[in-house]
Amino acid sequence: MTRLEVAVPFRTFVLKTANRCNIDCDYCFVFNSKDQAARHLPARMGLDVARAAARRIGEHVTAHGLPAVHVVLHGGEPLLAGVRHMADLLAAVRDGIPAGVEVQFELQTNGTLLSEAWLDLFERYRVVVGVSLDGPSVANDRHRLTHHGRSSSASTVRGIELLRSRPHLFAGLLAVVDLANDPVEVHDYLAAFEPPVIDFGFPHGTHDDPPRRDDPTRPEYGLWMSRVYDAWLDRPEYRHSVRMLEDIIALSSGVRSSVETLGLAPPSSVVIESDGAIEGVDTLRSVEEGATRLELDVFDHSFDAALHHPKLRHRQEEGTAALAEECRRCPLVAVCGGGYLPHRFSGDRGYQNPSVYCTDLAYLIRHVQGSLQRHGWQ
């Protein structure tokens, strides 16, 4: 059996449809981290890139017998591409992938530019939309200001309320954890928008540039998320999922997680930049200059070439083989998966480290598992 036959194919294709943003989040891994390459890429993806990407996706689908693919329209702020150009991009992608393959489109936005015209376009191509919002304005505006230092909260909330008028297009909310914010207040504020999913993420950090903590001896991020878990569980009227928590529950029960930040399943996403470059997971921009670069592009290379690129070798390692020795010995490794790849990085050991959130994940996993046992669910 060849390596190609045992490789896990890409199923999620992240298209950087716009490489500029109309707000200036201080934690942004695209524009405010170690790698500044995006500032010098085309402001929006050209149709030639979209067509070439679709052709390569079609090749990949055929080679690996995939019935469906997930295409994420990302940025920067993808809505800066403009309604007319985005319509052309969507048509190019859909037309370039074999007709029998289901294409699940999703777009991640800060929500400030949403309009009825955008929603009409999303209706046409069944694009579901996720919006980034960190909580009430005092929480959100701590990091998510405009380039002029003004609040972005009201514009984002306006966009969310517009999106709620077509709930079948509402994919959910994405929030970055900030220890300065009250976790229950943030959760309940976001829950009031009735999203199907709330996706909390830890701020990007490495062993060389660790996340801010008030007390490094305590698992503060794990404690923060455990309070979210308790608030979520204590309100039976809530119908939304909290992705990180549901993934911990699923993995603790032997079920695969839905995202790449937890668990041991090989990641299945790849990025296509606005110039056509094929790159690794884009959050690696927070690690070091060039961490995402593969020196491949959709014009001259297949996605199978990326699949076996030396920089992505960790994708095909079985089980815990690519993890630090401390992780391989840990009884929680099947759930935490050693932590998200960017969070494992250090300059001297590369990715052979436990996550900078190791103690936080361990605390949160044990908190959730303890709750499941107390309720007789495990």
Side-chain angles (χ1 to χ4, degrees):
M1 183 176 290
T2 67
R3 185 176 171 84
L4 174 62
E5 289 173 318
V6 298
V8 176
F10 297 119
R11 288 181 169 83
T12 297
F13 300 86
V14 181
L15 272 58
K16 295 290 186 170
T17 54
N19 255 318
R20 302 295 183 269
C21 194
N22 61 328
I23 66 174
D24 188 28
C25 305
D26 61 13
Y27 53 56
C28 177
F29 63 82
V30 178
F31 299 115
N32 289 320
S33 63
K34 300 289 179 65
D35 191 323
Q36 294 293 295
R39 295 183 181 275
H40 309 292
L41 291 168
R44 65 182 189 177
M45 178 177 285
L47 290 180
D48 59 334
V49 173
R51 292 187 186 105
R55 185 174 68 253
R56 295 298 184 185
I57 294 172
E59 291 173 357
H60 201 68
V61 161
T62 301
H64 297 277
L66 303 179
V69 290
H70 185 202
V71 175
V72 181
L73 310 168
H74 211 273
E77 170 48 55
L79 299 189
L80 287 175
V83 175
R84 183 174 299 178
H85 187 68
M86 184 68 80
D88 291 340
L89 292 175
L90 286 165
V93 172
R94 178 59 273 189
D95 292 347
I97 297 174
V101 177
E102 180 185 0
V103 181
Q104 301 161 352
F105 285 113
E106 182 174 352
L107 182 142
Q108 185 65 36
T109 175
N110 59 43
T112 60
L113 301 176
L114 283 169
S115 66
E116 293 288 354
W118 276 114
L119 298 188
D120 289 343
L121 174 63
F122 299 151
E123 290 273 12
R124 199 184 323 158
Y125 286 94
R126 293 186 296 175
V127 181
V128 296
V129 180
V131 181
S132 299
L133 180 69
D134 287 350
S137 59
V138 68
N140 190 67
D141 293 343
R142 190 172 288 114
H143 301 286
R144 302 182 61 82
L145 297 173
T146 70
H147 289 279
H148 299 291
R150 299 192 181 103
S151 172
S152 66
S153 294
S155 296
T156 297
V157 169
R158 180 203 59 78
I160 294 171
E161 293 295 356
L162 184 63
L163 187 57
R164 290 180 70 194
S165 69
R166 308 196 203 188
H168 54 288
L169 298 179
F170 192 9
L173 298 174
L174 172 64
V176 175
V177 173
D178 185 336
L179 298 177
N181 300 328
D182 180 85
V184 177
E185 180 184 8
V186 168
H187 171 265
D188 290 352
Y189 177 81
L190 298 177
F193 292 106
E194 300 181 308
V197 179
I198 301 176
D199 198 355
F200 288 100
F202 292 149
H204 288 296
T206 67
H207 288 274
D208 300 326
D209 187 17
R212 183 190 71 81
R213 294 181 185 271
D214 297 321
D215 182 354
T217 66
R218 301 178 70 231
E220 293 172 307
Y221 290 91
L223 287 161
W224 200 98
M225 281 303 302
S226 71
R227 290 188 60 199
V228 169
Y229 174 80
D230 292 340
W232 176 54
L233 201 64
D234 287 346
R235 298 278 295 274
E237 66 269 27
Y238 284 146
R239 293 292 180 264
H240 63 274
S241 66
V242 178
R243 197 185 308 274
M244 182 189 297
L245 302 175
E246 287 206 345
D247 278 352
I248 289 173
I249 293 169
L251 288 160
S252 297
S253 305
V255 180
R256 181 173 175 163
S257 68
S258 62
V259 291
E260 299 178 0
T261 53
L262 292 167
L264 292 170
S268 60
S269 65
V270 67
V271 174
I272 300 94
E273 273 294 353
S274 61
D275 65 350
I278 300 172
E279 301 203 341
V281 57
D282 51 357
T283 50
L284 287 174
R285 292 191 184 282
S286 65
V287 167
E288 61 180 350
E289 182 77 29
T292 63
R293 235 169 277 155
L294 306 178
E295 307 302 333
L296 304 173
D297 65 70
V298 291
F299 299 106
D300 297 319
H301 304 94
S302 70
F303 285 117
D304 279 333
L307 203 60
H308 303 298
H309 192 282
K311 276 193 174 181
L312 301 188
R313 190 175 295 126
H314 65 275
R315 288 175 37 86
Q316 305 303 339
E317 298 284 355
E318 293 187 8
T320 62
L323 302 182
E325 183 180 350
E326 303 99 300
C327 295
R328 294 198 296 269
R329 294 197 305 261
C330 179
L332 301 178
V333 68
V335 180
C336 84
Y340 193 32
L341 184 66
H343 301 161
R344 287 159 30 195
F345 181 82
S346 71
D348 58 340
R349 293 184 64 195
Y351 302 97
Q352 294 292 315
N353 303 279
S355 168
V356 290
Y357 294 104
C358 176
T359 57
D360 303 286
L361 289 169
Y363 180 91
L364 178 60
I365 291 167
R366 290 190 176 107
H367 182 84
V368 171
Q369 290 179 343
S371 170
L372 296 176
Q373 290 171 351
R374 286 193 301 276
H375 287 87
W377 297 335
Q378 188 183 58

